[in-house]
Amino acid sequence: MRLAAYDNFDELEQCQSAWDRLADRCVFRTWRWLATWWRHYGSEDPRCRLHVVVARDADEQVLGVLPCYVHASAISGRTLRLLGDGEVCSDHLGLLAATDNRGQVADAIADALLSDPSWDALDFAAVDDGEPSTGLLLDRLQQRGCHVDTRPEQSCWTIDLPDSWDEFLAMQSKSHRKQLRRLDSRILQTDSAAWRHAATAEDFSIGWDVLEDLHQRRRQSLGEPGCFSWPRWRAFHEDIARQLLAAGELRLSWLELDGEPVAAEYHFARGSTVFAYQGGLSPEAADAEPGRLSLIACIQHAIGEGRRQFDLLRGDEPYKAHWRATPQAVHRVLAIPPRFAPRVRYRARTAIRNAGRWVQQAARLFS
């Protein structure tokens, strides 16, 4: 097996189709998502250096990709992170590897990382518990002397979709089933409601404006700034959403009641899965339950397309279990190589963090 580390995305163009094959159904692992993320979040940041490791066999077939970058700071040192992390909140990140070669790829990349002194810590966010390829890599690093620490994050929640809406309703509790039927028949199936989705560039322009407006109004009504107030987040998502529209993987929709937009959804569809990423609601229409109405329409559409999973992504909001979604544990993983300077830095950071917690606890105790 031959490994190559890349610090320029242009040199990785030849890997795009193999990369997407290894990404499988997950939109957040694809070349398109991660290359666009790097262009907006990493390429112009002097603290960041691309570090993508590609594993190939003797016939030059790509067997694995570790899509990373190194972020340098005075406090944390040089930290190896997964592309797509941070404020974008990409889920299901990790090592991409062919099923039959996971062990070999994990061994080879672990050896390569430990022979590379250009990083001081590995900090991977949003790693699914039990994700096989990343799990093997972390095991191999630990076996080779790395200190590995895992910390729980909020779970990812997924609804397993049946073949029909009636079967989906049968999955719900009696009271929830009654509520969904009432909302569907009394509102969604009437002339007062119109559910629209973006199929063209013109549709996209309309829907994107609706999404931004409803998202910002909803978040600001809760005293929050809203994601569209973050310039890089906004630029990244408008860029990637247009690409996904062209690829047939964007599911941008909005619901109108009596001609007025009251809810919008920004979802993705790849393979058998719809990923429910972001949305917005009209605060003034809260009594009409626009969020629930919009979710009904989106799930009905996903079932109609033959999707098998509706991924509600990270976050332990109570409504997810109510819709019969099941949780998948997610961890943030930290690994420290068996070198003197990184170990000292890690112990110092841990001591400072523990001291800060003690001060907070003491303040609460005596307040």
Side-chain angles (χ1 to χ4, degrees):
M1 185 173 295
R2 184 177 71 84
L3 298 185
Y6 295 86
D7 61 6
N8 187 322
F9 248 111
D10 292 340
E11 298 174 358
L12 285 160
E13 286 280 356
Q14 60 186 316
C15 301
Q16 183 172 352
S17 60
W19 184 314
D20 285 344
R21 173 176 50 80
L22 295 174
D24 194 22
R25 68 169 186 85
C26 183
V27 68
F28 301 113
R29 293 176 164 223
T30 62
W31 164 278
R32 179 183 295 110
W33 185 273
L34 296 177
T36 304
W37 182 92
W38 176 252
R39 186 165 63 251
H40 285 272
Y41 281 91
S43 62
E44 301 298 326
D45 190 336
R47 300 169 299 175
C48 296
R49 171 175 56 85
L50 190 69
H51 190 79
V52 176
V53 182
V54 178
R56 295 181 174 88
D57 64 13
D59 297 322
E60 293 298 303
Q61 297 298 308
V62 175
L63 302 180
V65 177
L66 183 64
C68 288
Y69 69 104
V70 177
H71 181 273
S73 75
I75 296 176
S76 301
R78 301 161 300 175
T79 304
L80 193 66
R81 300 180 180 274
L82 290 167
L83 294 174
D85 70 356
E87 71 178 16
V88 167
C89 293
S90 309
D91 283 329
H92 311 304
L93 299 176
L95 170 65
L96 313 181
T99 303
D100 295 338
N101 305 98
R102 284 172 179 154
Q104 291 175 282
V105 170
D107 277 323
I109 291 181
D111 287 338
L113 290 177
L114 288 178
S115 66
D116 178 4
S118 69
W119 61 283
D120 302 314
L122 176 152
D123 189 352
F124 286 179
V127 175
D128 294 343
D129 187 37
E131 198 286 313
S133 299
T134 311
L136 283 172
L137 174 62
L138 296 170
D139 287 344
R140 300 301 196 266
L141 289 172
Q142 192 166 33
Q143 292 166 8
R144 287 159 173 76
C146 286
H147 171 79
V148 176
D149 180 23
T150 61
R151 302 169 189 173
E153 294 194 339
Q154 295 195 57
S155 300
C156 282
W157 293 74
T158 304
I159 302 172
D160 291 324
L161 296 177
D163 294 327
S164 69
W165 176 246
D166 285 341
E167 290 176 271
F168 178 82
L169 289 174
M171 294 164 48
Q172 309 304 307
S173 67
K174 183 178 180 180
S175 60
H176 194 215
R177 181 164 59 247
K178 183 178 180 180
Q179 291 167 354
L180 296 183
R181 281 177 171 156
R182 175 179 55 80
L183 288 169
D184 190 22
S185 63
R186 295 185 182 180
I187 301 178
L188 287 178
Q189 301 304 322
T190 68
D191 292 339
S192 65
W195 185 75
R196 309 187 189 283
H197 63 95
T200 67
E202 183 179 359
D203 295 338
F204 176 85
S205 296
I206 296 169
W208 194 254
D209 288 344
V210 170
L211 171 69
E212 179 174 355
D213 176 61
L214 292 179
H215 175 85
Q216 290 301 111
R217 284 164 54 196
R218 170 60 173 168
R219 302 326 299 179
Q220 289 168 6
S221 74
L222 299 174
E224 301 171 8
C227 294
F228 284 89
S229 67
W230 307 336
R232 283 197 297 181
W233 189 98
R234 189 185 190 283
F236 164 78
H237 279 288
E238 185 163 2
D239 187 349
I240 193 65
R242 290 184 182 278
Q243 295 181 56
L244 291 169
L245 175 68
E249 296 183 354
L250 179 68
R251 295 297 179 269
L252 174 63
S253 64
W254 62 102
L255 175 68
E256 296 176 358
L257 295 181
D258 297 319
E260 290 295 323
V262 295
E265 305 290 347
Y266 174 38
H267 298 175
F268 318 120
R270 182 176 172 85
S272 62
T273 304
V274 170
F275 300 89
Y277 182 80
Q278 190 54 273
L281 303 173
S282 168
E284 296 80 14
D287 290 345
E289 300 186 79
R292 190 177 295 190
L293 289 167
S294 184
L295 191 52
I296 289 172
C298 289
I299 291 176
Q300 289 176 337
H301 189 260
I303 292 173
E305 287 188 316
R307 310 292 175 181
R308 307 311 298 175
Q309 289 85 36
F310 198 88
D311 193 337
L312 297 171
L313 302 175
R314 226 181 323 165
D316 293 323
E317 296 90 344
Y319 83 89
K320 295 181 178 179
H322 194 51
W323 286 78
R324 291 295 188 260
T326 55
Q328 164 71 55
V330 175
H331 291 92
R332 176 181 176 183
V333 182
L334 187 69
I336 309 299
R339 290 184 273 115
F340 178 74
R343 288 291 174 95
V344 170
R345 186 187 294 272
Y346 171 71
R347 292 192 183 104
R349 288 177 58 200
T350 301
I352 292 170
R353 184 172 62 250
N354 291 339
R357 290 173 180 168
W358 183 87
V359 169
Q360 290 176 350
Q361 292 171 356
R364 286 196 296 268
L365 182 63
F366 294 105
S367 61

